[in-house]
Amino acid sequence: MKVAVFDTHRYERDILSEAARARGHEVVFFEPRLTEATAVLARGTDAVCSFVNDRIDAAALAVLKDVGVRLVALRSAGYNHVDLTAADRLGLPVVRVPAYSPHAVAEHAAALILALNRRVHKAYVRVREGNFSLEGLTGFDMVGKVAGVIGTGRIGAALARILHGFGCRVLAHDMAPDPELTSAGIVRYVPLEELYRTSDIISLHVPLTPQTRHLVDAEALALMKRGVMLINTGRGALVDTPALLASLKAGHVGHAGLDVYEEEEGIFFRDLSDQVIKDDVLARLLTLPNVLVTSHQAFLTREALANIAETTFDSVSAFERGEPLVHAVHAAAVIR
Ligand code: NAI
């Protein structure tokens, strides 16, 4: 099949080409994000392959259908950027990559925690400028600290194990608790409010749904301990960012590690180093010494890229052969 791959970057092209070629598919790479305006580029292809900041709304899907596309293959786990109801109505199957490497994301969350705690981001810059002072670099021992993991699916469970390994007391919250984590003594499930009130570190690993949008709002932040470290590698809109900024400025939240940002579309994944950042909330966040922002890179390991490419083109092959699509997502799967 011929697959139009949108929002492509140098770091993934070889790996995607190789997986496609190995299964007899042809790929055409497009740099623009997939939106209503760019969907027409897919004319002449059988499927589109898209990433997290594409906007696959009803209008984009209608154009895709119109130009002859028969399959939407997301090379991501999250599918909150797709109008699944419209896709179902148009008879356009949508597949995703449910789990490519939970470890990649969990380990990045751990990297953010350690970097913020031990001020690695500050020390790196300081030493390069010949400043060998230790002032302001005091961190804390991880052992014995209370870490709250919200969402203990694949990624949250992997992070809970890492934090347990550091000697943290790990509290967890999930609407479907994982009995294995409890029986292995890794986590203790508690109501969200207790997790907020008692955790020194809080990390978010629930999907973005109408229920989880702005899960961390001003009210939730006020419940948290003064000096809490908040980590978000889930989806930007899990956090009400202006409320987080206000809490950071008030000195209530002590550290924030963000791999995702509510308004990241059009900013993350791009080199904007010669431009003025127009998003004032992001620009202000970037000035704070206790905030570490990475641009949605938690997934970015060699292993994850290979799994993404292979699962995506396995789905394309299954579709071509008329086999059941095991990684299909439907509107009914979205928790409303
Ligand atoms: P998963 O589906 O394995 O786990 C999600 C967990 O959240 C489940 O245990 C579920 O019961 C729980 N949950 C869902 N809604 C809830 C609610 N309202 N209240 C309490 N618990 C709730 O998903 P996985 O693979 O662990 O990924 C989690 C999220 O991480 C993805 O949805 C995606 O948004 C994000 N992600 C971010 C990446 C990055 O590069 N920054 C890469 C991959 C995923």
Side-chain angles (χ1 to χ4, degrees):
M1 283 181 41
K2 192 166 176 182
V3 183
V5 186
F6 282 83
D7 197 12
T8 54
H9 304 270
R10 257 204 330 261
Y11 62 74
E12 60 184 351
R13 285 189 182 180
D14 288 350
I15 227 154
L16 286 166
S17 297
E18 203 179 302
R21 205 176 319 114
R23 290 159 181 79
H25 304 299
E26 189 188 337
V27 282
V28 196
F29 290 117
F30 294 109
E31 270 179 37
R33 291 182 298 122
L34 174 55
T35 63
E36 179 191 0
T38 62
V40 71
L41 291 169
R43 189 183 296 281
T45 64
D46 307 292
V48 289
C49 177
S50 95
F51 199 43
V52 287
N53 284 331
D54 292 337
R55 199 179 313 131
I56 315 176
D57 53 15
L61 287 163
V63 177
L64 291 177
K65 179 82 181 174
D66 197 46
V67 300
V69 165
R70 292 177 290 134
L71 173 71
V72 176
L74 313 175
R75 54 186 194 288
S76 61
Y79 48 86
N80 51 282
H81 56 300
V82 187
D83 185 336
L84 291 174
T85 309
D88 280 351
R89 194 178 56 240
L90 290 164
L92 264 178
V94 179
V95 290
R96 64 170 180 147
V97 183
Y100 36 88
S101 173
H103 307 291
V105 184
E107 289 168 15
H108 189 75
L112 290 174
I113 293 170
L114 291 181
L116 281 165
N117 172 8
R118 305 309 300 268
R119 319 291 200 264
V120 178
H121 57 305
K122 307 273 305 162
Y124 174 77
V125 176
R126 204 180 268 196
V127 169
R128 280 168 74 93
E129 290 183 352
N131 177 355
F132 299 95
S133 158
L134 297 184
E135 291 306 327
L137 300 185
T138 309
F140 56 82
D141 283 8
M142 292 289 288
V143 68
K145 291 295 176 296
V146 181
V149 177
I150 303 180
T152 54
R154 285 165 284 240
I155 296 169
L159 180 66
R161 290 178 195 281
I162 293 170
L163 293 169
H164 178 71
F166 274 122
C168 292
R169 206 148 57 77
V170 187
L171 301 182
H173 178 80
D174 196 298
M175 64 183 191
D178 177 349
E180 252 182 56
L181 287 176
T182 319
S183 59
I186 308 285
V187 308
R188 184 164 68 83
Y189 283 94
V190 295
L192 199 51
E193 194 177 319
E194 184 181 339
L195 185 149
Y196 284 153
R197 285 189 193 284
T198 50
S199 299
D200 300 297
I201 302 164
I202 295 176
S203 194
L204 309 178
H205 301 284
V206 285
L208 179 62
T209 67
Q211 283 75 34
T212 61
R213 179 173 295 274
H214 289 184
L215 179 75
V216 175
D217 56 8
E219 208 181 316
L221 289 163
L223 290 174
M224 294 177 193
K225 268 182 162 174
R226 193 170 178 81
V228 67
M229 179 188 289
L230 180 71
I231 304 293
N232 187 9
T233 60
R235 281 292 178 269
L238 295 176
V239 176
D240 177 346
T241 320
L244 172 63
L245 180 58
S247 185
L248 281 157
K249 282 163 74 178
H252 187 74
V253 169
H255 310 268
L258 310 172
D259 185 53
V260 284
Y261 172 55
E262 199 169 356
E263 306 296 335
E264 69 181 53
E265 192 185 312
I267 301 176
F268 282 14
F269 306 126
R270 298 171 66 194
D271 179 359
L272 302 178
S273 52
D274 61 348
Q275 295 180 32
V276 171
I277 296 176
K278 296 192 184 70
D279 183 318
D280 288 349
V281 174
L282 177 63
R284 185 69 178 98
L285 276 175
L286 294 175
T287 66
L288 302 181
N290 49 351
V291 172
L292 183 45
V293 176
T294 51
S295 66
H296 210 135
Q297 75 175 72
F299 73 98
L300 195 59
T301 64
R302 283 193 298 274
E303 292 78 2
L305 286 177
N307 284 340
I308 288 170
E310 283 161 19
T311 308
T312 300
F313 287 102
D314 278 347
S315 290
V316 172
S317 297
F319 177 78
E320 188 176 34
R321 292 194 292 260
E323 293 169 3
L325 297 173
V326 286
H327 301 311
V329 276
H330 296 285
V334 181
I335 309 149
R336 294 204 186 274

